[in-house]
Amino acid sequence: MESIFIAIGTGVLALLFATWLAYRVLKEDQGTDAMKEIGKAIQEGASAFLAREYRTLAIFVVLVTIVIGVFIDIIQLDRDIPKTAISYLIGAICSAGTGYIGMHIAIRANTRTAAAAMIGLNPGLRVAFNSGAVMGTTVVGIGILGISILYLIFKDITVVAGFGFGASSIALFARVGGGIFTKAADVGSDIVGKVEAGIPEDDPRNPATIADNVGDNVGDVAGMGSDLFESYASSLIATIAIATAASAVAPEFDEPKLVLPLLIASVGIVSSLIGTFFVRTGSQASMSQLLWALRRGIYISSALVLASSYAVIQLLGVDDGNRIFLAIVTGLVAGNVIGFATEYYTSYEYSPTRRIAEAAQTGAGTTIITGFATGMLSTLVPVASVVAAILIAFWAADLYGVAIAAVGMLSTLGITLATDAYGPVADNAGGIAEQAHLDPEVRERTDALDSLGNTTAATGKGFAIGSAALTSLALLAAYTFAINPGVTDAKELVINILDPNVLVGLFIGALLPFIFSALTMQAVGTAAYAIVNEVRRQFREIPGIMEGTGRPDYARCVDISTRGSLRAMILPGAMAVIAPIAMGFILGPEPLGGMLIGAIASGFLLAVTMANSGGAWDNAKKYIEAGNLGGKGSDTHKAAVVGDTVGDPFKDTSGPSLNILIKLMSIVALVFAPVFI
Amino acid sequence: MESIFIAIGTGVLALLFATWLAYRVLKEDQGTDAMKEIGKAIQEGASAFLAREYRTLAIFVVLVTIVIGVFIDIIQLDRDIPKTAISYLIGAICSAGTGYIGMHIAIRANTRTAAAAMIGLNPGLRVAFNSGAVMGTTVVGIGILGISILYLIFKDITVVAGFGFGASSIALFARVGGGIFTKAADVGSDIVGKVEAGIPEDDPRNPATIADNVGDNVGDVAGMGSDLFESYASSLIATIAIATAASAVAPEFDEPKLVLPLLIASVGIVSSLIGTFFVRTGSQASMSQLLWALRRGIYISSALVLASSYAVIQLLGVDDGNRIFLAIVTGLVAGNVIGFATEYYTSYEYSPTRRIAEAAQTGAGTTIITGFATGMLSTLVPVASVVAAILIAFWAADLYGVAIAAVGMLSTLGITLATDAYGPVADNAGGIAEQAHLDPEVRERTDALDSLGNTTAATGKGFAIGSAALTSLALLAAYTFAINPGVTDAKELVINILDPNVLVGLFIGALLPFIFSALTMQAVGTAAYAIVNEVRRQFREIPGIMEGTGRPDYARCVDISTRGSLRAMILPGAMAVIAPIAMGFILGPEPLGGMLIGAIASGFLLAVTMANSGGAWDNAKKYIEAGNLGGKGSDTHKAAVVGDTVGDPFKDTSGPSLNILIKLMSIVALVFAPVFI
């Protein structure tokens, strides 16, 4: 019992730390009036987005809560209290809350980072990183608190699984809706602003510019946060569920394997908090020193988490403790390897991205072919890492080992997410410095911070994909225990691929990520058109807008594109929830297992391909813009821009959404398991 | 016993028919001297390609023959005669033979079709179609003869599986090597000719022009032929193998289920031969009448094959005859549905391709995004068809039903392949008509034939992919029987996905098509550079080449790009053979089963995505060239050209090669099964 209170305690500690950090960020100087003006417009836009998004989500969440309450809690399990429905609702609210807090700070940290960069590089880094750390510690804090408290109250992990489902639902909307929004605003503002009206990029006269800025926060901060919040919650839930199922007798509440994931998460949180203090650099730091500043924080946290996990395992006296420790190490190593591989394939410091830039010399066609081939090749290391992690973790501790490897991978999430969420803040600070015509020296500093942000964002994306794959597999394992009540030995669980229904499930599962990606890519086009029309209308109807005397209606532009993107994501979103339920009802629980495996395999591969080819195209363009191969404005650059345009929905809409698709399908299966058997 | 002699008899009949058709094609007029000159250059180039390709392949085939003979026949099975090695060698020779014959006729039919089109539309159609029918009937004739005779001699279907492996090896080289060759020649000749030297496309002064023409025959005729030869052979082998394994006692040689596939194939051959006589049209036929002329032949063959299959089943007195008939019908219907869906997604008569053309109005980026999304969406119907076929066929007759559904799908191959192979001949005839400056009326006729060829080629590609998926599944079923000797009931076979080794196998299997596609796409770039260098050298060193007085060394250009493409395909090719063997040895036979399923699912989806997005981009460009949305030379057209460039390796190199990858891996598993258990 104490273990759960320890978990709750660390959760509270994380939130207190986040509050303190947020306070420090918010009391920073906001800079010049021009900067405040721009910052205000972004905040207005972000509020408009969140208001609209949460209104749409509320309907969806209420509907699903009722469905769960009626069909699972009341009809199927004959409960007096709709426990799973309550867990679902709380999970959804928590996920929305983390998104709100993360974005709230990020959009306020943009201007403050730019202002701090006026003083020096280190102050700029500290503000941007601290705002990312607010997000990171909030996610882990709310995650562990939600699960621990619900578990303490309901004493049934299958009920707590509803929390994961709630988190997934919001995550899906945040990632898909946000992903469509950000790219639609980007493309739409370019088409009307740059092409039709002939005004430069990021020009404040363009009503969609703010939507574009908002989009970066919506997609990269809130989207990434809710994505990893879900991975974090689901990996804990899956591990506890497997530990529960694998206990021959009804487990004690203090059964070591049951509380271990919560304690690993707890020491992970504390380690991450300590790690954040090591992220600092000198005033004249080089690029590699900046990168090292962030990496030092992560490495110190990782070392701490390993040492303290080992201690926890020994203190708890877990059976086969060394083997379980090995599984945790495996997960942590796999996550880092995937992160580095992502960086290798998408940073222009390395040959794959440079080869894409060289291919741009022979035109847009060869740029696309080379970039797409690079994305496909880049699946090798992530798959090898996950496969190695599965083999080692399973050898070490069966399915429990696979699940706790996911927990290990995510244990340092507090700080890894901080380095990810740092990226878009630094990016926007750079944009603000440019729009507010700050001193060239300041822009050099924000450029350095931004460039660093691209690297950490790449690593973060790889991490998100890797953890999604491992978490989904852990959920799948928990699901197979759930559909085989009474089985305690993982080796007795069977899903036979040669059963034609399972085979059919697998094929349909493998199909879904393709359809999902196609729908989300098409949605970007549809939503972009809605923005184009709105910008044209404002240019026509608001007097003095082109002369700079009339103020564009930024919020309306944001609201329209929000509505457009949220409407466009209904079909893919509904598919993700309905497909596993339909499969479970029509072909049965084993074919649903086949469907999950098919979706995880093909979704993982597609997600890596799309995210990495998109990232590599982006950076190939940046490499050329840095003055290589002809530089900005050359034909080579134009070809690279085509690659970047294709890469935008790949890396920011479809690719990352696939992470959620596979986790959401898996947790839907777990939550609805009682209905299928 | 009579049944096998019936099969041998139809095989001989098919070859006699092919000989008669070839005689008819070859005695046609070759047209003007200019046409003969161009035709001679293409024939020279094709001979150079085949000579080089077969020399490379000979080494590979001899090596593999020795490996099979030593490790499987002698060491593992302690045989006096290396039966499987002999079967392998014969399979490889037969496959190479069909490729040689098909290409030999096709490159001679090009000029003759152009010449016949000088007389009228119907003569042109007859010559082009007859040359395609030579290929179609040769493939089915050699296929059924090879299997029947080897089966008659060795009386062991696992030995005959070597024949399928041999066919696969050659098919892989023909598809991958040919696919790289054709696109490298295309891209390479464009870069030096159009961009650097400023001479028009298809100009005889460009030494790579002939390589480009040869490429069309190499990729589309020989590649498609060897691909479907392999499907045809492997589906028969798999069905007989399953029937053998499922017989409780050592089966009689006249066991109905054993000989049924050979008899279905026999009546299919006769039905196809009859169908070819119905392919004719009037002299002033419209596009839809031309299409109907080809379709009528296929429909009549299909009706005949259904009626005669039903009769054969009744005559043999097969148990559950009606159910098995249902499985055959299912396969035939699924093949046609996939073919039509492919046409829908890639023809500019329908909205998906038109939407890509419209997206080209906003630039190359949106063209690529829309086209790629279309390709991904287009996987829905093929997967649904295969899934429905699996469910129905398995319900009807277990795994035997799935295998015989593949036989049913391929039963009319004699005529469906004829309509596919017709396409490139008509295409080249059009090119020759243009190069030889024939009467505009003739070019109108060849354009009509060419346009028809695009439609039938699209249908053919869909058919190739669908049959590859179903054949691979049939081979997988045969493999699972092979690794479970003694098991006769399909329901007792188990491959458990929750076994971590199987799961790992599945992940690695799903990974392979991504790596394979990446490597083949990169290979196109590498081989294209080799051509670029050779063309530059010839321009520099051969005097009078630009004035038209010096004759370019076409054969050397072809030889160099052949060498380049064959070298570039060693890595992906070796991967396809070695991966399943390594998996079987390292993780064992069940994980290899998981690997096959992962590869089939992800390979099938990727193949459809790449083939269809490529086809749609190609036709979106043609739609604009037909005068829509600004026509040739507009910015919209330029954007569409980028789509077409990206689509080239998608649809002609990587996409179709995936068909062979999944079949080759499956047959390797089947042949090596005795070693793993």
Side-chain angles (χ1 to χ4, degrees), chain B residues 387-405:
Chain B
V387 153
I390 293 172
L391 286 178
I392 296 173
F394 193 93
W395 173 83
D398 281 350
L399 291 176
Y400 182 80
V402 175
I404 203 128

Side-chain angles (χ1 to χ4, degrees), chain A residues 368-369 372-373 376 379 387 391 394 480 493-498 500-501 504 510-511 514 518 597 605 609 646 649-650, chain B residues 369 372-373 376 379 387 391 394 480 493-498 500-501 504 510-511 514 518 597 605 609 645-646 649-650:
Chain A
I368 301 293
I369 293 171
F372 194 62
M376 287 182 135
T379 55
V387 154
L391 286 178
F394 193 94
T480 50
L493 299 170
V494 175
I495 292 183
N496 182 12
I497 330 184
L498 297 175
N501 290 337
V504 163
L511 168 72
F514 282 76
I597 288 171
L605 285 160
T609 300
V646 174
F650 268 45
Chain B
I369 293 171
F372 194 62
M376 287 182 134
T379 55
V387 153
L391 286 178
F394 193 93
T480 49
L493 299 169
V494 175
I495 292 183
N496 182 13
I497 329 186
L498 297 175
N501 290 339
V504 163
L511 168 73
F514 281 77
I597 288 172
L605 285 161
T609 300
T645 310
V646 174
F650 269 44

Side-chain angles (χ1 to χ4, degrees), chain A residues 209 321 357 412 492 614:
Chain A
T209 294
T412 55
E492 285 173 29

Side-chain angles (χ1 to χ4, degrees), chain A residues 92-463:
Chain A
I93 292 171
C94 286
S95 176
T98 54
Y100 177 77
I101 294 169
M103 232 178 77
H104 186 87
I105 293 296
I107 55 182
R108 280 162 181 80
N110 299 336
T111 46
R112 289 167 172 85
T113 300
M118 290 161 76
I119 306 167
L121 198 56
N122 192 38
L125 175 69
R126 290 296 312 177
V127 175
F129 178 76
N130 280 346
S131 78
V134 173
M135 180 73 171
T137 42
T138 306
V139 161
V140 295
I142 295 186
I144 200 167
L145 269 181
I147 290 173
S148 305
I149 294 175
L150 286 175
Y151 191 40
L152 192 64
I153 296 172
F154 294 128
K155 300 183 173 58
D156 180 352
I157 195 65
T158 61
V159 169
V160 184
F163 182 84
F165 183 18
S168 298
S169 310
I170 301 296
L172 188 77
F173 277 83
R175 263 290 197 204
V176 179
I180 296 171
F181 178 98
T182 177
K183 290 305 128 186
D186 195 355
V187 174
S189 89
D190 279 4
I191 288 178
V192 201
K194 284 205 288 193
V195 182
E196 291 183 14
I199 54 179
E201 197 165 348
D202 283 333
D203 192 295
R205 288 173 293 176
N206 187 337
T209 294
I210 296 300
D212 192 0
N213 288 337
V214 170
D216 291 342
N217 294 295
V218 167
D220 290 346
V221 179
M224 173 78 82
S226 59
D227 185 348
L228 286 165
F229 177 74
E230 196 219 332
S231 282
Y232 193 73
S234 296
S235 66
L236 290 174
I237 292 168
T239 316
I240 300 174
I242 293 169
T244 310
S247 305
V249 290
E252 290 298 310
F253 218 49
D254 267 340
E255 162 82 23
K257 281 194 180 174
L258 219 86
V259 294
L260 184 62
L262 288 175
L263 290 177
I264 301 288
S266 299
V267 299
I269 289 175
V270 176
S271 306
S272 299
L273 298 190
I274 297 170
T276 60
F277 290 101
F278 291 89
V279 178
R280 57 164 53 95
T281 183
S283 198
Q284 294 302 321
S286 67
M287 183 69 194
S288 63
Q289 283 170 315
L290 277 176
L291 188 57
W292 174 239
L294 291 180
R295 291 253 161 92
R296 185 173 44 210
I298 294 179
Y299 290 150
I300 289 174
S301 302
S302 302
L304 285 175
V305 93
L306 286 183
S308 48
S309 295
Y310 189 78
V312 164
I313 288 170
Q314 299 305 323
L315 281 174
L316 278 177
V318 185
D319 290 345
D320 290 327
N322 288 338
R323 283 171 164 252
I324 288 174
F325 180 67
L326 174 65
I328 294 171
V329 175
T330 304
L332 203 57
V333 171
N336 281 296
V337 170
I338 295 174
F340 288 131
T342 309
E343 192 192 326
Y344 172 76
Y345 275 105
T346 60
S347 158
Y348 67 63
E349 299 292 319
Y350 303 101
S351 60
T353 299
R354 292 201 178 182
R355 265 200 293 272
I356 297 172
E358 281 154 22
Q361 292 174 300
T362 43
T366 42
T367 311
I368 301 293
I369 293 171
T370 313
F372 194 62
T374 301
M376 287 182 135
L377 260 192
S378 76
T379 55
L380 185 60
V381 175
V383 169
S385 306
V386 166
V387 154
I390 293 172
L391 286 178
I392 297 172
F394 193 94
W395 173 82
D398 282 351
L399 290 176
Y400 182 80
V402 176
I404 203 127
V407 173
M409 188 187 269
L410 290 160
S411 60
T412 55
L413 184 65
I415 188 160
T416 46
L417 186 54
T419 60
D420 300 337
Y422 151 90
V425 171
D427 187 3
N428 268 329
I432 290 169
E434 223 164 309
Q435 284 173 258
H437 309 291
L438 297 189
D439 198 67
E441 199 192 0
V442 179
R443 274 153 67 178
E444 261 170 41
R445 290 188 193 130
T446 56
D447 279 357
L449 294 175
D450 180 18
S451 171
L452 179 65
N454 283 328
T455 304
T456 58
T459 318
K461 267 175 192 159
F463 200 78

